[in-house]
Amino acid sequence: MAHGLTMMVRSVLTSLRPLVAVPPPVSAPWTSYCKTGLTLVRCKGHQPVEVVGDEETLLVIQPHKRWGVVEGPFVPVEYQLEEAVSLVEAISGWKVHDTRIDTLRKPHNQFLFGKGKIEELKSVVRGTQAVTGVFINTPLLTPVQHGSLESLFRANVYDRFGIVLQIFKERAHTAEAKIQVQLAEIPYVKARLREVLTDSDHHK
């Protein structure tokens, strides 16, 4: 059962058809909660950002890779960005606030992007109150990259694999389909938990 879903996820990741990422827990360390009237909302600092629930407003970043050999058919970076937007819009309640294409000459182990570019992105994300998350259209961020980017941006960060799983979760209606999605999530969640536990040990 799990093997079948894994193969399906892999086929989606290697195709160009719109499908999608697993949202991290709402209890992320940068998140606080405040009330506007009778509504509980998620905040950055003391400023309301969004109603707590399944909604996200994303900055979509399309890396423009400048290294290595292109695997599979060549796809213009503009088309890749359009597909990334389609993935987000396929999720109920999710919307795109803005998009951008950023050159990626060599992947950085901690932040994916280099120092100058990541500082620019940090300024954009932190300076845009409406943005609650960032979707970097790359197949899979490492646990270190994912954790570092979320801490730096103080916002949810999604990679392509996570977006695909989010779509599957939303469209899983039978009990068997829901179990398949949950099984597919296990390796993804375990990697994130190891990241949290390692960071906790470093701060003891």
Side-chain angles (χ1 to χ4, degrees):
M1 183 186 299
H3 176 71
L5 183 64
T6 300
M7 294 301 294
M8 180 166 58
V9 171
R10 287 177 179 173
S11 68
V12 170
L13 289 176
T14 56
S15 73
L16 294 176
R17 300 183 61 182
L19 273 179
V20 215
V22 177
V26 292
S27 56
W30 63 84
T31 301
S32 60
Y33 296 89
C34 53
K35 295 190 73 173
T36 302
L38 298 177
T39 304
L40 183 66
V41 297
R42 191 157 64 184
C43 306
K44 283 184 179 179
H46 299 292
Q47 298 300 315
V49 175
E50 63 165 332
V51 176
V52 174
D54 297 326
E55 298 182 357
E56 286 281 23
T57 301
L58 302 183
L59 169 64
V60 178
I61 300 173
Q62 175 60 55
H64 189 188
K65 298 178 181 179
R66 296 289 194 178
W67 85 94
V69 178
V70 176
E71 297 181 2
F74 171 76
V75 180
V77 67
E78 294 80 7
Y79 290 177
Q80 296 178 48
L81 178 59
E82 288 180 11
E83 186 205 9
V85 170
S86 296
L87 295 178
V88 174
E89 293 176 344
I91 307 172
S92 298
W94 290 36
K95 59 185 177 181
V96 174
H97 177 77
D98 199 3
T99 64
R100 54 185 292 151
I101 297 172
D102 288 292
T103 298
L104 182 58
R105 300 191 182 281
K106 183 179 180 181
H108 190 281
N109 289 337
Q110 184 174 8
F111 294 111
L112 186 64
F113 293 96
K115 183 177 180 180
K117 178 59 65 176
I118 202 64
E119 285 297 321
E120 177 187 340
L121 293 174
K122 179 181 77 171
S123 177
V124 170
V125 175
R126 290 194 184 185
T128 309
Q129 193 65 37
V131 170
T132 61
V134 178
F135 171 28
I136 301 177
N137 190 27
T138 191
L140 189 66
L141 294 167
T142 68
V144 170
Q145 289 169 340
H146 184 264
S148 298
L149 288 167
E150 289 203 327
S151 297
L152 183 74
F153 292 155
R154 298 178 184 171
N156 299 328
V157 172
Y158 303 91
D159 55 25
R160 188 179 178 85
F161 184 79
I163 293 292
V164 170
L165 280 180
Q166 179 63 30
I167 287 180
F168 285 155
K169 287 176 66 176
E170 184 175 85
R171 300 181 182 182
H173 300 300
T174 67
E176 180 180 4
K178 291 177 181 178
I179 291 173
Q180 288 178 337
V181 172
Q182 290 169 355
L183 289 173
E185 283 183 311
I186 290 175
Y188 194 84
V189 174
K190 282 176 66 178
R192 301 300 182 243
L193 287 175
R194 283 197 298 269
E195 164 195 310
V196 172
L197 292 174
T198 300
D199 184 67
S200 177
D201 289 340
H202 288 165
H203 286 84
K204 285 183 179 179

